[in-house]
Protein backbone atom coordinates (compact mmCIF):
# COMPACT_ATOMS: atom_id res chain seq x y z
CA UNK A 1 0.00 0.00 0.00
CA UNK A 2 1.51 3.31 -1.10
CA UNK A 3 1.30 6.41 1.06
CA UNK A 4 -0.63 9.35 -0.49
CA UNK A 5 1.28 12.41 -1.69
CA UNK A 6 -0.76 14.88 0.42
CA UNK A 7 -2.34 16.54 -2.60
CA UNK A 8 -5.73 18.27 -2.50
CA UNK A 9 -8.13 16.28 -4.71
CA UNK A 10 -8.71 19.10 -7.20
CA UNK A 11 -6.91 22.41 -6.58
CA UNK A 12 -7.50 22.66 -10.32
CA UNK A 13 -9.48 20.44 -12.64
CA UNK A 14 -7.72 19.89 -15.96
CA UNK A 15 -9.30 17.66 -18.60
CA UNK A 16 -7.37 15.99 -21.42
CA UNK A 17 -9.14 14.62 -24.50
CA UNK A 18 -7.34 12.22 -26.85
CA UNK A 19 -8.84 10.82 -30.06
CA UNK A 20 -8.63 7.03 -30.34
CA UNK A 21 -6.89 5.97 -33.60
CA UNK A 22 -8.00 9.39 -34.84
CA UNK A 23 -7.22 9.28 -38.56
CA UNK A 24 -8.70 5.83 -39.04
CA UNK A 25 -11.65 6.74 -36.81
CA UNK A 26 -12.41 9.69 -39.11
CA UNK A 27 -12.48 7.29 -42.08
CA UNK A 28 -14.79 4.90 -40.25
CA UNK A 29 -17.08 7.76 -39.18
CA UNK A 30 -17.40 8.71 -42.86
CA UNK A 31 -18.01 5.09 -43.84
CA UNK A 32 -19.56 3.12 -40.93
CA UNK A 33 -19.42 -0.12 -42.97
CA UNK A 34 -15.71 -0.21 -42.08
CA UNK A 35 -16.44 -0.50 -38.35
CA UNK A 36 -14.99 -3.68 -36.83
CA UNK A 37 -12.65 -4.28 -39.77
CA UNK A 38 -8.85 -3.94 -39.95
CA UNK A 39 -8.32 -0.52 -41.55
CA UNK A 40 -5.15 1.46 -42.18
CA UNK A 41 -4.39 4.79 -43.83
CA UNK A 42 -1.27 5.66 -45.81
CA UNK A 43 -1.94 4.11 -49.22
CA UNK A 44 -0.56 7.23 -50.90
CA UNK A 45 2.79 6.83 -49.10
CA UNK A 46 3.09 3.06 -49.35
CA UNK A 47 3.34 2.63 -45.57
CA UNK A 48 0.82 2.29 -42.75
CA UNK A 49 0.42 5.66 -41.04
CA UNK A 50 -2.60 4.94 -38.80
CA UNK A 51 -4.33 1.69 -37.84
CA UNK A 52 -7.66 0.66 -36.40
CA UNK A 53 -7.57 -1.49 -33.23
CA UNK A 54 -8.40 -4.53 -35.37
CA UNK A 55 -5.42 -3.82 -37.64
CA UNK A 56 -3.14 -3.43 -34.63
CA UNK A 57 -4.34 -6.75 -33.19
CA UNK A 58 -3.60 -8.37 -36.53
CA UNK A 59 0.04 -7.31 -36.16
CA UNK A 60 0.21 -4.23 -38.37
CA UNK A 61 2.45 -1.50 -36.99
CA UNK A 62 3.02 2.11 -37.92
CA UNK A 63 5.54 2.51 -40.74
CA UNK A 64 5.01 -1.03 -42.01
CA UNK A 65 5.09 -1.30 -45.81
CA UNK A 66 1.72 -1.76 -47.45
CA UNK A 67 2.88 -4.99 -49.07
CA UNK A 68 3.91 -6.35 -45.68
CA UNK A 69 0.62 -5.23 -44.11
CA UNK A 70 -1.27 -7.20 -46.77
CA UNK A 71 0.85 -10.24 -45.98
CA UNK A 72 0.27 -9.90 -42.23
CA UNK A 73 -3.47 -9.29 -42.65
CA UNK A 74 -4.91 -10.22 -46.08
CA UNK A 75 -8.30 -8.69 -45.20
CA UNK A 76 -6.89 -5.25 -44.35
CA UNK A 77 -8.64 -2.22 -45.86
CA UNK A 78 -6.05 0.26 -47.13
CA UNK A 79 -7.08 3.91 -47.54
CA UNK A 80 -5.30 7.08 -48.64
CA UNK A 81 -4.87 9.72 -45.96
CA UNK A 82 -7.44 12.53 -46.05
CA UNK A 83 -5.85 15.28 -43.98
CA UNK A 84 -8.42 17.88 -44.94
CA UNK A 85 -11.19 15.81 -43.40
CA UNK A 86 -9.08 15.07 -40.32
CA UNK A 87 -8.51 18.82 -39.85
CA UNK A 88 -12.22 19.58 -40.19
CA UNK A 89 -13.13 16.92 -37.63
CA UNK A 90 -10.43 18.30 -35.33
CA UNK A 91 -11.98 21.77 -35.49
CA UNK A 92 -15.38 20.33 -34.61
CA UNK A 93 -13.84 18.42 -31.71
CA UNK A 94 -12.40 21.62 -30.22
CA UNK A 95 -15.69 23.45 -30.77
CA UNK A 96 -17.60 20.79 -28.83
CA UNK A 97 -15.23 21.03 -25.87
CA UNK A 98 -15.54 24.83 -25.92
CA UNK A 99 -19.28 24.54 -25.30
CA UNK A 100 -18.37 23.62 -21.73
CA UNK A 101 -15.40 25.94 -21.16
CA UNK A 102 -13.66 28.63 -23.23
CA UNK A 103 -10.33 27.61 -21.68
CA UNK A 104 -9.23 25.03 -24.26
CA UNK A 105 -5.63 24.46 -25.32
CA UNK A 106 -5.30 22.74 -28.69
CA UNK A 107 -2.32 20.47 -28.16
CA UNK A 108 -2.39 18.54 -31.45
CA UNK A 109 -4.85 17.64 -34.20
CA UNK A 110 -6.54 15.02 -31.98
CA UNK A 111 -5.69 16.23 -28.45
CA UNK A 112 -6.62 19.15 -26.25
CA UNK A 113 -6.58 20.26 -22.64
CA UNK A 114 -9.52 22.07 -21.02
CA UNK A 115 -9.59 23.91 -17.70
CA UNK A 116 -12.78 22.98 -15.81
CA UNK A 117 -11.79 24.65 -12.55
CA UNK A 118 -14.74 26.31 -10.83
CA UNK A 119 -17.36 25.08 -13.32
CA UNK A 120 -19.16 22.67 -10.97
CA UNK A 121 -21.54 25.32 -9.62
CA UNK A 122 -22.23 27.18 -12.94
CA UNK A 123 -22.87 23.91 -14.79
CA UNK A 124 -24.58 22.20 -11.86
CA UNK A 125 -22.45 19.06 -12.28
CA UNK A 126 -19.43 17.42 -10.74
CA UNK A 127 -16.14 17.42 -12.64
CA UNK A 128 -16.72 13.78 -13.50
CA UNK A 129 -20.18 14.53 -14.87
CA UNK A 130 -18.81 17.41 -16.96
CA UNK A 131 -16.04 15.20 -18.35
CA UNK A 132 -18.43 12.38 -19.20
CA UNK A 133 -20.81 14.82 -20.89
CA UNK A 134 -17.96 16.12 -23.07
CA UNK A 135 -16.95 12.57 -23.96
CA UNK A 136 -20.55 11.60 -24.78
CA UNK A 137 -21.08 14.65 -27.02
CA UNK A 138 -17.83 13.98 -28.89
CA UNK A 139 -18.79 10.35 -29.41
CA UNK A 140 -22.35 10.98 -30.56
CA UNK A 141 -21.65 13.98 -32.81
CA UNK A 142 -18.41 12.87 -34.42
CA UNK A 143 -19.10 9.15 -34.60
CA UNK A 144 -15.86 8.05 -32.95
CA UNK A 145 -14.48 7.41 -29.50
CA UNK A 146 -12.25 9.61 -27.35
CA UNK A 147 -10.33 8.80 -24.19
CA UNK A 148 -10.61 11.35 -21.39
CA UNK A 149 -8.58 12.01 -18.26
CA UNK A 150 -9.16 14.55 -15.49
CA UNK A 151 -6.56 15.54 -12.91
CA UNK A 152 -5.28 18.53 -10.96
CA UNK A 153 -2.47 19.14 -13.50
CA UNK A 154 -1.85 18.64 -17.21
CA UNK A 155 0.54 15.73 -16.65
CA UNK A 156 -1.93 13.91 -14.40
CA UNK A 157 -4.81 14.60 -16.82
CA UNK A 158 -2.82 13.16 -19.73
CA UNK A 159 -1.87 10.18 -17.57
CA UNK A 160 -5.61 9.63 -17.06
CA UNK A 161 -6.51 9.76 -20.75
CA UNK A 162 -3.80 7.18 -21.51
CA UNK A 163 -4.87 4.89 -18.67
CA UNK A 164 -7.65 3.10 -20.51
CA UNK A 165 -7.87 3.03 -24.29
CA UNK A 166 -9.96 3.15 -26.33
CA UNK A 167 -12.96 5.09 -25.01
CA UNK A 168 -11.48 5.30 -21.53
CA UNK A 169 -12.47 7.73 -18.78
CA UNK A 170 -10.15 8.11 -15.80
CA UNK A 171 -10.30 10.55 -12.88
CA UNK A 172 -7.03 11.08 -11.00
CA UNK A 173 -7.79 13.27 -7.96
CA UNK A 174 -4.73 14.48 -6.11
CA UNK A 175 -5.41 12.33 -3.05
CA UNK A 176 -5.36 9.18 -5.23
CA UNK A 177 -2.55 10.13 -7.60
CA UNK A 178 -0.12 7.78 -5.85
CA UNK A 179 -2.25 4.76 -6.86
CA UNK A 180 -1.80 5.56 -10.55
CA UNK A 181 1.79 6.80 -10.39
CA UNK A 182 2.93 3.60 -8.66
CA UNK A 183 1.91 1.62 -11.77
CA UNK A 184 3.26 4.10 -14.34
CA UNK A 185 6.81 3.37 -15.58
CA UNK A 186 8.96 6.48 -15.51
CA UNK A 187 9.49 6.22 -19.27
CA UNK A 188 5.73 6.51 -19.86
CA UNK A 189 5.44 9.91 -18.18
CA UNK A 190 4.41 12.59 -20.65
CA UNK A 191 7.51 14.64 -21.50
CA UNK A 192 10.14 12.11 -20.44
CA UNK A 193 12.05 10.55 -23.33
CA UNK A 194 14.29 7.47 -23.59
CA UNK A 195 17.51 9.19 -22.49
CA UNK A 196 16.01 10.76 -19.36
CA UNK A 197 14.17 7.52 -18.63
CA UNK A 198 17.43 5.56 -18.80
CA UNK A 199 19.15 8.16 -16.61
CA UNK A 200 16.44 7.92 -13.93
CA UNK A 201 16.14 4.14 -14.11
CA UNK A 202 19.88 3.83 -13.61
CA UNK A 203 19.43 5.66 -10.33
CA UNK A 204 16.65 3.40 -9.10
CA UNK A 205 13.80 5.69 -10.13
CA UNK A 206 11.64 3.27 -12.10
CA UNK A 207 8.09 4.57 -11.59
CA UNK A 208 6.36 7.92 -11.71
CA UNK A 209 5.75 7.62 -7.98
CA UNK A 210 9.49 7.17 -7.36
CA UNK A 211 10.07 10.44 -9.22
CA UNK A 212 7.23 12.25 -7.43
CA UNK A 213 8.61 11.23 -4.01
CA UNK A 214 12.07 12.67 -4.64
CA UNK A 215 12.96 15.67 -2.50
CA UNK A 216 13.35 19.06 -4.17
CA UNK A 217 17.11 19.24 -3.63
CA UNK A 218 17.66 15.92 -5.42
CA UNK A 219 15.41 16.96 -8.32
CA UNK A 220 17.23 20.27 -8.77
CA UNK A 221 20.60 18.53 -8.61
CA UNK A 222 19.76 15.82 -11.15
CA UNK A 223 17.26 17.36 -13.56
CA UNK A 224 16.90 20.47 -15.71
CA UNK A 225 13.96 22.88 -15.50
CA UNK A 226 11.55 21.05 -17.88
CA UNK A 227 11.82 17.88 -15.79
CA UNK A 228 11.55 19.83 -12.57
CA UNK A 229 8.20 21.09 -13.89
CA UNK A 230 7.09 17.52 -14.61
CA UNK A 231 8.06 16.57 -11.04
CA UNK A 232 5.87 19.39 -9.71
CA UNK A 233 2.97 18.34 -11.95
CA UNK A 234 3.20 14.77 -10.67
CA UNK A 235 2.90 16.20 -7.17
CA UNK A 236 -0.30 18.05 -8.09
CA UNK A 237 1.27 21.49 -8.52
CA UNK A 238 0.54 23.22 -11.84
CA UNK A 239 3.84 24.16 -13.44
CA UNK A 240 3.26 23.80 -17.18
CA UNK A 241 1.70 26.86 -18.85
CA UNK A 242 -1.90 26.62 -20.04
CA UNK A 243 -2.55 28.55 -23.23
CA UNK A 244 -6.16 28.96 -24.30
CA UNK A 245 -5.29 31.37 -27.12
CA UNK A 246 -3.70 30.78 -30.47
CA UNK A 247 0.08 31.03 -30.21
CA UNK A 248 1.91 33.30 -32.65
CA UNK A 249 3.78 31.29 -35.24
CA UNK A 250 7.34 30.52 -34.18
CA UNK A 251 8.19 28.77 -37.42
CA UNK A 252 6.68 27.58 -40.68
CA UNK A 253 7.59 24.18 -42.06
CA UNK A 254 6.81 22.26 -45.23
CA UNK A 255 7.82 18.65 -45.83
CA UNK A 256 6.86 16.36 -48.67
CA UNK A 257 7.53 12.69 -49.40
CA UNK A 258 7.71 11.76 -53.09
CA UNK A 259 7.79 8.44 -54.89
CA UNK A 260 9.60 6.73 -56.34
CA UNK A 261 12.76 7.78 -54.49
CA UNK A 262 15.11 9.69 -56.77
CA UNK A 263 18.86 10.01 -57.22
CA UNK A 264 18.40 12.90 -59.63
CA UNK A 265 19.83 16.17 -58.36
CA UNK A 266 17.37 18.16 -60.50
CA UNK A 267 14.36 16.21 -59.20
CA UNK A 268 15.36 16.48 -55.55
CA UNK A 269 16.10 20.20 -55.87
CA UNK A 270 12.74 20.66 -57.60
CA UNK A 271 10.97 19.00 -54.66
CA UNK A 272 12.84 21.27 -52.25
CA UNK A 273 12.01 24.30 -54.41
CA UNK A 274 8.32 23.44 -54.29
CA UNK A 275 8.46 23.20 -50.49
CA UNK A 276 10.21 26.58 -50.31
CA UNK A 277 7.48 28.13 -52.45
CA UNK A 278 4.74 26.59 -50.30
CA UNK A 279 6.37 27.79 -47.09
CA UNK A 280 6.75 31.31 -48.48
CA UNK A 281 3.13 31.37 -49.64
CA UNK A 282 2.06 30.60 -46.08
CA UNK A 283 4.44 33.20 -44.65
CA UNK A 284 3.01 35.87 -46.96
CA UNK A 285 -0.53 34.87 -46.04
CA UNK A 286 0.30 35.65 -42.40
CA UNK A 287 2.37 38.75 -43.19
CA UNK A 288 5.60 37.20 -41.90
CA UNK A 289 9.19 37.18 -43.05
CA UNK A 290 11.96 34.71 -42.08
CA UNK A 291 15.49 35.47 -40.94
CA UNK A 292 16.56 31.84 -40.63
CA UNK A 293 16.13 28.84 -42.95
CA UNK A 294 16.65 25.16 -42.18
CA UNK A 295 16.41 22.61 -45.00
CA UNK A 296 16.88 18.86 -45.04
CA UNK A 297 16.90 15.91 -47.42
CA UNK A 298 15.66 12.52 -46.27
CA UNK A 299 17.23 9.44 -47.83
CA UNK A 300 15.37 6.25 -48.66
CA UNK A 301 16.84 4.64 -45.52
CA UNK A 302 15.29 7.55 -43.52
CA UNK A 303 18.63 9.12 -42.67
CA UNK A 304 18.62 12.89 -43.10
CA UNK A 305 21.14 15.56 -44.02
CA UNK A 306 20.40 19.20 -43.34
CA UNK A 307 21.80 22.69 -43.23
CA UNK A 308 20.86 25.97 -41.58
CA UNK A 309 21.54 29.49 -42.78
CA UNK A 310 20.78 32.99 -41.51
CA UNK A 311 19.47 35.68 -43.85
CA UNK A 312 20.61 39.30 -43.85
CA UNK A 313 17.00 40.50 -44.14
CA UNK A 314 13.66 38.97 -43.24
CA UNK A 315 12.06 37.65 -46.41
CA UNK A 316 9.12 35.62 -47.69
CA UNK A 317 10.30 35.53 -51.31
CA UNK A 318 11.05 31.99 -52.44
CA UNK A 319 13.41 33.21 -55.15
CA UNK A 320 15.67 34.90 -52.59
CA UNK A 321 15.82 31.84 -50.37
CA UNK A 322 16.41 29.48 -53.29
CA UNK A 323 19.25 31.61 -54.59
CA UNK A 324 21.05 31.02 -51.29
CA UNK A 325 20.15 27.32 -51.16
CA UNK A 326 21.30 26.74 -54.74
CA UNK A 327 24.82 27.81 -53.75
CA UNK A 328 24.86 25.34 -50.83
CA UNK A 329 22.84 22.45 -52.24
CA UNK A 330 25.87 20.43 -53.39
CA UNK A 331 27.13 20.36 -49.81
CA UNK A 332 23.87 18.64 -48.88
CA UNK A 333 23.15 16.39 -51.86
CA UNK A 334 25.10 13.12 -52.17
CA UNK A 335 25.21 11.87 -55.80
CA UNK A 336 23.90 8.34 -56.30
CA UNK A 337 21.92 8.39 -53.05
CA UNK A 338 18.15 7.78 -53.36
CA UNK A 339 16.10 10.49 -51.64
CA UNK A 340 12.44 10.21 -50.60
CA UNK A 341 11.59 13.58 -49.00
CA UNK A 342 12.67 17.19 -48.67
CA UNK A 343 11.73 19.78 -46.09
CA UNK A 344 12.18 23.39 -45.05
CA UNK A 345 11.64 25.33 -41.84
CA UNK A 346 11.36 29.13 -41.85
CA UNK A 347 12.42 30.54 -38.49
CA UNK A 348 13.14 33.90 -36.91
CA UNK A 349 9.73 35.10 -38.06
CA UNK A 350 8.80 38.76 -37.83
CA UNK A 351 6.35 41.24 -39.31
CA UNK A 352 7.22 41.43 -43.01
CA UNK A 353 5.96 45.02 -43.20
CA UNK A 354 8.89 46.29 -41.14
CA UNK A 355 12.04 45.74 -43.20
CA UNK A 356 14.89 47.96 -42.05
CA UNK A 357 16.75 50.06 -44.66
CA UNK A 358 20.32 48.98 -45.38
CA UNK A 359 23.37 50.19 -47.28
CA UNK A 360 23.44 47.44 -49.89
CA UNK A 361 19.99 47.58 -51.46
CA UNK A 362 18.48 44.47 -49.84
CA UNK A 363 15.46 46.43 -48.65
CA UNK A 364 14.87 47.82 -52.15
CA UNK A 365 15.08 44.33 -53.64
CA UNK A 366 12.63 43.11 -51.01
CA UNK A 367 10.17 45.84 -52.00
CA UNK A 368 10.44 44.79 -55.64
CA UNK A 369 9.86 41.14 -54.79
CA UNK A 370 6.91 42.10 -52.60
CA UNK A 371 5.15 43.59 -55.60
CA UNK A 372 5.89 40.51 -57.71
CA UNK A 373 4.67 38.16 -55.00
CA UNK A 374 1.48 40.14 -54.46
CA UNK A 375 0.68 39.61 -58.13
CA UNK A 376 1.51 35.88 -57.90
CA UNK A 377 -0.66 35.46 -54.81
CA UNK A 378 -3.56 37.26 -56.50
CA UNK A 379 -3.37 34.87 -59.46
CA UNK A 380 -3.17 31.87 -57.13
CA UNK A 381 -6.27 32.99 -55.25
CA UNK A 382 -8.18 33.32 -58.49
CA UNK A 383 -6.95 30.30 -60.44
CA UNK A 384 -5.47 27.95 -57.85
CA UNK A 385 -2.18 27.36 -56.08
CA UNK A 386 0.98 27.42 -58.20
CA UNK A 387 -0.73 29.07 -61.17
CA UNK A 388 2.59 30.89 -61.39
CA UNK A 389 5.64 29.03 -60.10
CA UNK A 390 9.40 29.18 -60.29
CA UNK A 391 11.05 27.21 -63.07
CA UNK A 392 13.06 25.28 -60.47
CA UNK A 393 9.82 23.83 -59.04
CA UNK A 394 8.28 22.71 -62.32
CA UNK A 395 9.64 19.11 -62.39
CA UNK A 396 7.95 18.54 -59.01
CA UNK A 397 4.73 20.36 -59.91
CA UNK A 398 4.27 18.50 -63.19
CA UNK A 399 3.58 15.20 -61.41
CA UNK A 400 1.66 14.09 -58.36
CA UNK A 401 3.96 13.26 -55.41
CA UNK A 402 2.88 9.60 -55.42
CA UNK A 403 1.83 9.26 -59.06
CA UNK A 404 4.13 6.39 -59.91
CA UNK A 405 3.25 4.15 -56.98
CA UNK A 406 1.07 1.26 -58.12
CA UNK A 407 -1.09 1.44 -55.03
CA UNK A 408 -0.95 5.24 -54.92
CA UNK A 409 -4.34 6.81 -54.39
CA UNK A 410 -5.78 10.13 -53.39
CA UNK A 411 -8.55 10.58 -50.88
CA UNK A 412 -12.15 11.01 -51.95
CA UNK A 413 -12.00 14.62 -50.76
CA UNK A 414 -9.22 15.26 -53.27
CA UNK A 415 -11.30 13.94 -56.16
CA UNK A 416 -13.98 16.08 -57.78
CA UNK A 417 -16.52 13.33 -57.03
CA UNK A 418 -15.73 13.59 -53.32
CA UNK A 419 -16.54 17.28 -52.93
CA UNK A 420 -19.66 18.56 -51.25
CA UNK A 421 -22.16 20.77 -53.04
CA UNK A 422 -20.76 24.24 -53.62
CA UNK A 423 -17.11 23.18 -53.18
CA UNK A 424 -14.28 23.66 -55.65
CA UNK A 425 -10.72 22.43 -55.54
CA UNK A 426 -9.77 25.64 -53.71
CA UNK A 427 -12.92 26.34 -51.67
CA UNK A 428 -14.17 23.76 -49.20
CA UNK A 429 -16.99 23.64 -46.69
CA UNK A 430 -17.19 21.99 -43.28
CA UNK A 431 -18.15 18.36 -42.98
CA UNK A 432 -21.80 17.48 -42.46
CA UNK A 433 -22.75 15.74 -39.23
CA UNK A 434 -21.01 12.41 -38.81
CA UNK A 435 -23.00 9.43 -37.64
CA UNK A 436 -23.26 8.18 -34.07
CA UNK A 437 -21.05 5.31 -33.01
CA UNK A 438 -22.99 2.08 -32.99
Amino acid sequence: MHKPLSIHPFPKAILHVDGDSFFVSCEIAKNPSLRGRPVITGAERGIASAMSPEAKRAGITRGMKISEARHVCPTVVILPSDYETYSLVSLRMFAIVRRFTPLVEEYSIDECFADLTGLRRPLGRSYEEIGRAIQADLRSELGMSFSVGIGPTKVLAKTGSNWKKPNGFTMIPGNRAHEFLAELPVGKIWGIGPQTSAFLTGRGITTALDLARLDEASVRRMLSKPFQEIWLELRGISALPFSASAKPAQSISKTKTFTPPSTSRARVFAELSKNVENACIKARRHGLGARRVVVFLKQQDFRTRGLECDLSQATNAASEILAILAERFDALFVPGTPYRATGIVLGGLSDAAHIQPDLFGAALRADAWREVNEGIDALDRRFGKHTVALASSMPALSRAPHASRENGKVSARAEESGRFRGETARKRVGLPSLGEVG
Side-chain angles (χ1 to χ4, degrees):
M1 190 71 177
H2 296 281
K3 183 180 178 182
L5 289 166
S6 300
I7 306 173
H8 186 279
F10 284 107
K12 285 189 175 182
I14 306 299
L15 172 142
H16 181 255
V17 177
D18 189 4
D20 298 323
S21 303
F22 186 72
F23 290 175
V24 166
S25 293
C26 290
E27 298 292 347
I28 295 172
K30 289 192 301 179
N31 182 5
S33 67
L34 297 175
R35 188 161 289 122
R37 301 172 63 184
V39 181
I40 63 174
T41 62
E44 80 289 352
R45 297 179 59 195
I47 60 173
S49 57
M51 298 79 61
S52 68
E54 293 80 9
K56 292 177 183 177
R57 287 195 292 269
I60 299 176
T61 57
R62 186 174 184 182
M64 181 180 286
K65 292 182 179 180
I66 294 295
S67 57
E68 187 178 351
R70 283 198 179 100
H71 177 74
V72 169
C73 180
T75 61
V76 66
V77 178
I78 303 167
L79 301 173
S81 301
D82 182 0
Y83 295 109
E84 184 177 25
T85 289
Y86 309 155
S87 297
L88 289 169
V89 175
S90 176
L91 291 174
R92 291 190 58 195
M93 164 190 161
F94 301 140
I96 290 170
V97 179
R98 285 192 173 98
R99 293 178 195 164
F100 296 81
T101 173
L103 301 179
V104 175
E105 178 180 333
E106 301 174 10
Y107 180 66
S108 70
I109 192 171
D110 64 341
E111 293 182 67
C112 69
F113 292 95
D115 191 342
L116 307 181
T117 308
L119 291 180
R120 288 178 292 188
R121 181 171 294 177
L123 297 182
R125 306 179 186 183
S126 67
Y127 289 138
E128 180 175 355
E129 289 171 334
I130 296 170
R132 289 193 181 278
I134 291 173
Q135 185 182 41
D137 284 0
L138 289 169
R139 181 180 174 88
S140 64
E141 295 184 37
L142 299 182
M144 62 188 74
S145 69
F146 294 80
S147 294
V148 173
I150 299 179
T153 65
K154 292 171 74 172
V155 169
L156 290 175
K158 190 163 173 65
T159 298
S161 67
N162 286 332
W163 201 256
K164 299 175 184 176
K165 277 183 166 289
N167 199 37
F169 185 94
T170 304
M171 297 277 294
I172 304 184
N175 58 356
R176 291 188 55 211
H178 60 287
E179 300 174 13
F180 296 87
L181 300 184
E183 298 184 38
L184 183 67
V186 71
K188 296 294 185 180
I189 301 172
W190 178 47
I192 291 186
Q195 290 186 343
T196 305
S197 174
F199 172 81
L200 292 170
T201 301
R203 285 153 180 77
I205 303 165
T206 60
T207 70
L209 185 60
D210 292 336
L211 177 59
R213 290 200 185 283
L214 286 178
D215 61 88
E216 184 175 1
S218 297
V219 172
R220 291 188 178 278
R221 185 178 66 254
M222 290 193 300
L223 301 172
S224 59
K225 183 180 178 182
F227 302 106
Q228 294 172 20
E229 292 173 342
I230 291 173
W231 171 75
L232 288 170
E233 292 259 329
L234 292 173
R235 295 171 65 87
I237 302 170
S238 292
L240 298 177
F242 190 100
S243 176
S245 59
K247 297 179 181 178
Q250 302 297 311
S251 63
I252 293 173
S253 62
K254 291 292 179 180
T255 304
K256 197 70 176 180
T257 300
F258 52 89
T259 55
S262 179
T263 59
S264 166
R265 183 189 186 281
R267 172 72 193 284
V268 176
F269 188 80
E271 295 290 344
L272 178 61
S273 176
K274 182 178 71 172
N275 281 334
V276 172
E277 287 205 75
N278 285 335
C280 287
I281 288 171
K282 185 172 182 179
R284 293 196 296 271
R285 188 162 61 242
H286 293 283
L288 298 171
R291 289 292 301 266
R292 186 175 64 258
V293 175
V294 178
V295 297
F296 68 87
L297 308 181
K298 182 180 290 186
Q299 300 172 188
Q300 177 63 4
D301 60 6
F302 290 89
R303 286 186 288 184
T304 60
R305 292 169 59 87
L307 63 83
E308 179 177 348
C309 55
D310 293 322
L311 310 177
S312 60
Q313 288 279 346
T315 185
N316 52 30
S319 55
E320 290 189 294
I321 294 173
L322 283 166
I324 296 171
L325 296 181
E327 297 175 354
R328 307 186 184 190
F329 188 73
D330 285 333
L332 190 61
F333 180 83
V334 179
T337 300
Y339 290 94
R340 69 190 310 272
T342 68
I344 178 171
V345 179
L346 302 181
L349 300 180
S350 61
D351 187 345
H354 297 94
I355 298 178
Q356 297 296 320
D358 69 311
L359 297 176
F360 304 102
L364 295 176
R365 290 194 299 273
D367 284 337
W369 275 114
R370 183 183 298 114
E371 293 182 8
V372 172
N373 287 324
E374 286 175 354
I376 292 173
D377 293 341
L379 289 170
D380 282 356
R381 286 192 296 271
R382 183 173 181 182
F383 299 107
K385 193 174 183 181
H386 294 304
T387 297
V388 178
L390 295 173
S392 57
S393 301
M394 294 309 296
L397 293 170
S398 62
R399 56 187 295 165
H402 304 284
S404 63
R405 186 178 296 281
E406 290 183 7
N407 61 351
K409 300 178 181 178
V410 295
S411 69
R413 292 279 290 156
E415 297 282 4
E416 185 173 357
S417 60
R419 298 175 194 156
F420 299 129
R421 181 175 296 179
E423 287 189 326
T424 67
R426 298 289 296 160
K427 296 182 179 180
R428 301 301 183 93
V429 300
L431 286 171
S433 179
L434 298 173
E436 182 174 359
V437 174

